[in-house]
Amino acid sequence: MTFEDATQIYYINKEIGELYKELAELKQQSFLKPITMSDMPHGGDTKDLFVEYTNSVLEIEDMIRYSLMKLQRERKKIEQFLDTVKDSELRLILRLRCINNMNWQEIGDEIGMDRRTASRKFYNYFKVAHNAH
C-alpha cells in the first residue's frame, strides 16, 4: 500500500463533509420568490424552481451515497493492509490516522507519545516501504 492509498479515506471523508455542507446550505435556501403586489400577471416559475431544487438535492444525496460506498471500499482495503503490519504500535498509528482520521496530536495523546514521534513513525513506514520497492 502506498502513502497515497493510505490517505484516501481522509480525503473521501473531507469530500463527504463538504457534500453534507453543500446539501445543508441548499436546504436552507428558499425556492419561492417573494410575493409582490402588482396588477401585472405573474409567471409560474415556482414549479420550475421547485423541480430544480429537488433535482439538486437528489444529485447531492446521490454523490454522498457514492462517496460513502467509496469510503467503505477504501476502508476494507486498509483493513486488509493493516492485517499485514506486524508491529502493533505502528499498526495502531496507521489505524488512528488512516481510518479514524485523527490528527497527530490526538494520536500522540491516545497512545502516549509525542505527536512528532507518531508522525515520524507513520511517514518513515511509507518511506521505507517505497524504497523497498
Side-chain angles (χ1 to χ4, degrees):
M1 173 160 289
T2 66
F3 173 77
E4 290 77 18
D5 294 334
T7 57
Q8 282 305 301
I9 286 181
Y10 173 80
Y11 293 107
I12 293 170
N13 273 320
K14 292 290 269 185
E15 178 182 33
I16 291 169
E18 290 300 316
L19 287 169
Y20 274 121
K21 273 197 263 185
E22 187 177 334
L23 183 62
E25 289 171 6
L26 182 64
K27 286 184 174 184
Q28 288 178 354
Q29 292 178 358
S30 174
F31 56 88
L32 298 175
K33 290 185 177 180
I35 297 173
T36 55
M37 302 300 274
S38 80
D39 293 339
M40 299 302 293
H42 301 299
D45 290 348
T46 303
K47 184 177 180 185
D48 292 337
L49 289 173
F50 181 71
V51 169
E52 184 178 316
Y53 165 82
T54 303
N55 287 339
S56 295
V57 167
L58 292 173
E59 183 179 321
I60 294 171
E61 287 174 343
D62 282 345
M63 292 166 59
I64 290 171
R65 277 191 290 281
Y66 177 72
S67 293
L68 287 169
M69 287 183 346
K70 282 193 306 189
L71 181 65
Q72 290 305 313
R73 277 195 308 268
E74 289 302 317
R75 183 182 173 122
K76 184 177 180 180
K77 281 189 220 174
I78 291 179
E79 289 288 357
Q80 291 170 342
F81 159 71
L82 288 174
D83 286 343
T84 68
V85 177
K86 303 294 185 223
D87 182 342
S88 58
E89 180 182 70
L90 178 60
R91 190 171 51 251
L92 179 58
I93 292 169
L94 291 165
R95 175 177 298 286
L96 295 175
R97 183 66 175 183
C98 298
I99 293 177
N100 297 9
N101 288 319
M102 294 172 84
N103 66 39
W104 294 119
Q105 186 62 51
E106 292 169 329
I107 293 170
D109 292 345
E110 179 73 22
I111 60 178
M113 82 174 43
D114 185 73
R115 64 179 177 76
R116 292 174 302 217
T117 304
S119 69
R120 197 174 311 118
K121 288 179 181 229
F122 178 87
Y123 291 113
N124 283 342
Y125 175 80
F126 287 105
K127 188 184 301 183
V128 169
H130 177 72
N131 289 338
H133 295 292

